Amino acid sequence: EKGTYPHYMLKEIDEQPSVVRKIIQAYENEQGELAIDPAIAEALHEADRLYIIAAGTSYHAGLVGKEYFEKIARIPVEVHISSEFGYNMPLLSEKPLFIFITQSGETADSRQVLVKIKELGYPTLTITNVPGSTLSREADYTMLLHAGPEIAVASTKAYVAQVAVLAIAAYVEAKSQGIAVNFDLKKELAIVANAIQSIVDSKEVFEFASKDYLSTTRNAFFIGRNMDYCVSVEGALKLKEISYIQAEGFAGGELKHGTIALIEEGTPVIALVTQKSVSLNIRGNVKEVTARGANPCIISMEGMEQEGDAIVLPQVHPLLTPLMSVVPLQLISYYAALYRGCDVDKPRNLAKSVTVE
Ligand code: M6R
């Protein structure tokens, strides 16, 4: 039930702090430490490469997951769009583990890959929000998202849950390998939950998101580098699907290799600045587009904010910023769709779970 909320999407955005807290609890052992099913830990341990297979927003969560498994657990990862992978399989490693990320657990494009992979005899893990769903039943292992039912077509809390569960899997795997991890993920996730809470409660974020920034534009760009790039493609998808504004997520440095030709007077460019190592580079990219007339919106994080930034997010661990920086993008999309009179929860031409290939 959406209760007093005008839309499921807004309710689900607001639920994100509690989803993160619920996931911490769900993946805690009796000693209060983060833990995963030992059989899954073993499968991760055995694998020489992970293949993440997913569609849409779940694919975008997979891009962040790759960063986690490679940076925290040092396992090489490939992330693939399911509809492409099944019909054009890349050369596989000797001991692959396939990870299917799917909110619904019913996406036909992902299922056709699972069926083929099972025929080949490789181990499979499904990360899903729906216990008993097709992909959960058919895979060897399941990790649940614990996000509660997601009704709005635009995925919000499931993305945050997917990223959090991927972080936990990578972290627990790294620890069990004796890899030195210099942070306490449980503590850092609790900080993230509070940060998301402060964003959904923030007057400043609400005022920015609900103003007319995207009310009449034909197109918009989202740019970022590193982890921020992973989130910018998700921000663009969210805006496209519910507001019908043509939007593109770009790696900041790539714009000048062609796409910058599209920047005109007033083109909105939303830039994420949460990664210290590339913060100057991305600010440079913002300058490049601003000089060509773009109307920039900078979303930065405490510690690297500058005057004129539209939104300054609270500080969280640099690897966990996607869990937080996606939230203002969700809100910006939500209010843009409202502004333009779109059906937020049921955008045209889309279904919540895509059960055809
Ligand atoms: O249920 P799944 O996670 O497998 O769904 C995948 C995509 O269809 C889904 O994420 C879609 O892109 C959403 N509408 C995005 O908001």
Side-chain angles (χ1 to χ4, degrees):
E1 256 316 295
K2 62 180 194 266
T4 54
Y5 283 95
H7 298 100
Y8 281 108
M9 185 181 176
L10 190 60
K11 173 174 180 266
E12 290 162 4
I13 290 172
D14 274 4
E15 282 170 356
Q16 294 178 113
S18 64
V19 168
V20 174
R21 291 184 188 116
K22 186 123 189 260
I23 289 170
I24 301 174
Q25 276 176 8
Y27 285 96
E28 217 172 41
N29 64 16
E30 278 166 10
Q31 290 75 48
E33 291 157 358
L34 291 175
I36 61 173
D37 176 347
I40 298 175
E42 182 63 27
L44 286 167
H45 182 56
E46 291 282 305
D48 64 356
R49 183 175 291 255
L50 308 178
Y51 290 81
I52 294 180
I53 312 290
T57 288
S58 297
Y59 170 76
H60 295 156
L63 298 177
V64 182
K66 172 182 167 75
E67 300 292 314
Y68 292 163
F69 282 114
E70 294 196 338
K71 295 213 161 75
I72 306 173
R74 297 187 201 150
I75 311 174
V77 182
E78 289 180 26
V79 194
H80 292 273
I81 293 170
S82 45
S83 59
E84 281 296 307
F85 189 94
Y87 300 95
N88 185 16
M89 235 183 251
L91 195 58
L92 299 178
S93 67
E94 249 168 64
K95 290 178 150 197
L97 169 66
F98 284 83
I99 303 182
F100 295 86
I101 307 179
T102 169
Q103 187 285 131
S104 63
E106 303 297 342
T107 299
D109 283 327
S110 300
R111 182 172 180 249
Q112 55 91 8
V113 181
L114 176 60
V115 169
K116 287 172 185 153
I117 290 308
K118 281 178 58 161
E119 275 168 18
L120 294 173
Y122 294 125
T124 52
L125 159 67
T126 291
I127 300 181
T128 183
N129 201 25
V130 184
S133 56
T134 306
L135 272 100
S136 167
R137 280 185 280 110
E138 294 181 349
D140 299 316
Y141 315 105
T142 296
M143 288 179 82
L144 290 176
L145 296 176
H146 301 284
E150 191 180 63
I151 311 289
V153 166
S155 184
T156 53
K157 62 177 180 172
Y159 171 86
V160 161
Q162 287 162 345
V163 172
V165 167
L166 287 162
I168 290 171
Y171 180 85
V172 172
E173 170 59 13
K175 289 235 147 178
S176 76
Q177 291 304 303
I179 294 173
V181 189
N182 63 0
F183 66 100
D184 177 347
L185 182 61
K186 193 178 147 188
K187 226 174 79 194
E188 297 298 337
L189 283 173
I191 294 172
V192 165
N194 292 341
I196 301 175
Q197 188 69 59
S198 77
I199 296 164
V200 297
D201 291 343
S202 159
K203 229 180 103 206
E204 183 202 8
V205 174
F206 167 78
E207 273 169 6
F208 182 83
S210 60
K211 75 176 191 181
D212 55 359
Y213 181 58
L214 297 171
S215 60
T216 57
T217 189
R218 279 189 304 127
N219 57 1
F221 294 93
F222 291 75
I223 61 171
R225 287 173 175 245
N226 297 359
M227 305 291 276
D228 289 337
Y229 167 59
C230 303
V231 181
S232 69
V233 288
E234 170 58 9
L237 175 61
K238 218 83 302 167
L239 188 65
K240 280 185 270 202
E241 69 175 331
I242 62 167
S243 77
Y244 317 143
I245 297 170
Q246 187 169 16
E248 219 52 74
F250 260 92
E254 185 65 8
L255 269 181
K256 62 180 172 298
H257 296 288
T259 309
I260 200 164
L262 291 171
I263 302 291
E264 294 172 351
E265 198 56 40
T267 305
V269 176
I270 298 169
L272 292 174
V273 186
T274 75
Q275 301 296 307
K276 203 155 215 150
S277 60
V278 286
S279 69
L280 293 179
N281 309 63
I282 189 74
R283 285 193 187 273
N285 300 137
V286 174
K287 284 204 185 93
E288 287 157 15
V289 291
T290 310
R292 287 157 182 87
N295 180 10
C297 156
I298 297 180
I299 301 178
S300 64
M301 185 165 83
E302 269 170 25
M304 56 195 92
E305 74 270 34
Q306 283 184 12
E307 221 182 296
D309 291 356
I311 296 171
V312 181
L313 302 169
Q315 206 166 46
V316 302
H317 190 281
L319 284 173
L320 301 181
T321 59
L323 293 160
M324 166 185 76
S325 60
V326 75
V327 180
L329 304 188
Q330 296 164 346
L331 288 166
I332 287 171
S333 297
Y334 174 78
Y335 287 106
L338 273 193
Y339 225 104
R340 296 164 84 107
C342 303
D343 187 347
V344 172
D345 282 340
K346 284 197 167 54
R348 68 185 182 205
N349 310 342
L350 289 171
K352 181 63 185 165
S353 65
V354 184
T355 51
V356 289
E357 273 188 49

